[in-house]
Amino acid sequence: MTRRCLAALVAVAALAPATSAPAATHRTWHVDADAARPGDGTAARPFATLAAVEAASRPGDRIVVGPSLTALDGGLRLQRGQRVQGLGDPHGGPGVPAARITNTAAARLDGDAVRLADQTAVRGLRIEAPRRGGIYGLDVARATVTGNDVSGHNVSCTRGFLIPPFAVPTTVPGVGVPIRDGLHNGWAAIMVDAARGTTNVTVDRNRVHDADCGDGIDVRISGDALGRVRIRGNDVRELREGPDFESVLAIGLQTRDRARLVAVLDDNRQRGLGNDEDLGVGPTGADSEGVFVNPVGASRLRATITRNDYRHTPGRGGFSANGLEVVAMGEGSRGLVTVRDSHFSGTPGDVLELLALGTGARLALRLERVSATGSTGFAGSGFGDTVAIPGNNGDCLIAASGGARNAIDLRVRDSVLRGCANNGLTFGAAVANGRGPSASLDGEITGTTIRANRGAGLRVGNVAGLDRLALKVQDSDLSGNRGATSSPANVVAEDLGTTGRATIDLGGGPLGSTGGVCLGGGPLDVALVRYDVHLRHAWWGRRGGPAPGRTLAVGGRLDARQPLDAAPAHCGRDAPLSGRAAPSR
């Protein structure tokens, strides 16, 4: 063959399409608790056990679980890329056929009903009374959990989520109540752990309910992992704490070590957390949390929460039951939580909490169109102030540092903090973790209603060391609070420790507040101890400024010049909660 012919053949070969290996064929397998044995996994002759379908299936296959009144036992370990689809109504009653599965064996998948793998999806299952979790994933790159119903999980009362040790701040400078072992929770119905790589998980439109010893939906990211989670449209209710635990979470998010987590929570609902026999007094009763956000150590956690609806069931939960708790622990954590168009109500403890209980933390909370209302205080008595412990006194919202070098950043806009057993908003510092002062408290409150609370509308306080305090309030209603606790006025600001630099601007001060603050009602309008407060351009419930005997200042100054001659439109009215402040489901 000549060189010219050989060159021509090479050129033709280069232009010819390359042959490729045939695409993998993914099969669909069927399993049904009512199937006749033996089956071959087809729709006509489904397998009768989860073990059979697990053994036959391969990565990328689809598994269809038929409806039945009997649960398939033994659990299901998924392989990469597999999809599980349940037939029937997963949310129907006891007599409604559904794709029921469980796992009663501790030696099999640690008692989990479904074990996730990379690129897997689980949809439409009714998971009943598994020995440990309903659905669990460890270091999965991507997974979707949609439209499932999990009930009665963690029959074994296995430990799951751990809230690390910390000290509860007191009003005695530098003194805390140590929680040396932390707070233990039961294993969650739907749980994701990651310690390496990147995890993307969606938990969508599931129902978790009626369990005696487990959390609802928990995500824990540790090591150097990066987590991205979407938790949407889930209904979590009727969860008890369990006899060996100290806490129960409807939705829990935690980062540790150097991990990072970005979480989006939308249109979720929490109900009925805690134990029926709870008294809500002292250490008795369940420490129940609707949404719990917990950055620990040098980790980073950012969460956006929209259209959340939390309603506490009267008679349940201890004094530390909260609708939303954002709490930093350890050294150097960073957390940013944004909440919009959401409703939280009825807790024995504080309705909303932003607490830095570690050291060197930077913790921020943004509230927009949020209502936090109707805390009940201890045992539903309406009493909400221990005096000795500044937190969990039944405030609508508390934002505080409980450790050295912490920085707190709070922004509240167009929200309602009303009808709580203690203060509407407590903003303060009480160092009980680490040595030295808290670094800073920065706050801005705009267009917000803080009315009809048993204590103060706004209480600002420092009982230890604080380097810097800056608080701006404008166009907000702080009237009609009863001042019946240790907060005797609509606005209370007291420095019982040492504050390096403080600016409290409720109108006409250096932070640029335009004023428009509404006062009046209750025993006092303003009570100050060693703090100066700018309060110009305010409505005092009357023309001409505060009436005689309506203000008190000890070691602090009140600037009440240029009072308003008429009440602004927002006085005596709740801030309008535009958008959907609660899910429509």
Side-chain angles (χ1 to χ4, degrees), residues 5 13 24 74 84 117 146 154 232 249 274 343 368 422 439 460 543 561:
C5 291
V84 180
T146 304
N154 201 25
R232 302 179 300 207
L249 313 177
H343 174 79
E368 300 177 16
N422 197 35
V460 182
R543 297 186 64 178
R561 290 175 290 174

Side-chain angles (χ1 to χ4, degrees), residues 35-54:
R37 303 187 187 193
D40 59 9
T42 61
R45 299 180 59 222
F47 290 125
T49 66
L50 294 174
V53 74
E54 182 179 308

Side-chain angles (χ1 to χ4, degrees), residues 18-165:
T19 59
S20 59
T25 300
H26 299 309
R27 297 187 57 177
T28 295
W29 302 93
H30 294 262
V31 58
D32 193 319
D34 298 329
R37 303 187 187 193
D40 59 9
T42 61
R45 299 180 59 222
F47 290 125
T49 66
L50 294 174
V53 74
E54 182 179 308
S57 64
R58 295 293 179 265
D61 285 353
R62 179 170 177 256
I63 297 172
V64 177
V65 182
S68 174
L69 298 179
T70 303
L72 290 158
D73 200 352
L76 180 62
R77 184 194 299 273
L78 298 182
Q79 301 177 59
R80 179 181 177 85
Q82 288 190 337
R83 294 165 296 147
V84 180
Q85 174 68 61
L87 303 181
D89 181 6
H91 308 304
V96 177
R100 287 177 162 84
I101 75 169
T102 189
N103 186 3
T104 60
R108 169 71 178 159
L109 303 179
D110 300 312
D112 296 334
V114 177
R115 183 68 59 83
L116 298 172
D118 290 348
Q119 314 295 331
T120 52
V122 180
R123 181 188 298 270
L125 296 182
R126 184 178 180 94
I127 300 174
E128 299 175 325
R131 183 169 178 82
R132 195 174 76 166
I135 300 170
Y136 177 62
L138 173 62
D139 292 328
V140 296
R142 187 178 299 274
T144 302
V145 178
T146 304
N148 303 283
D149 189 291
V150 185
S151 64
H153 55 280
N154 201 25
V155 172
S156 62
C157 284
T158 299
R159 286 185 174 185
F161 203 107
L162 172 65
I163 301 169

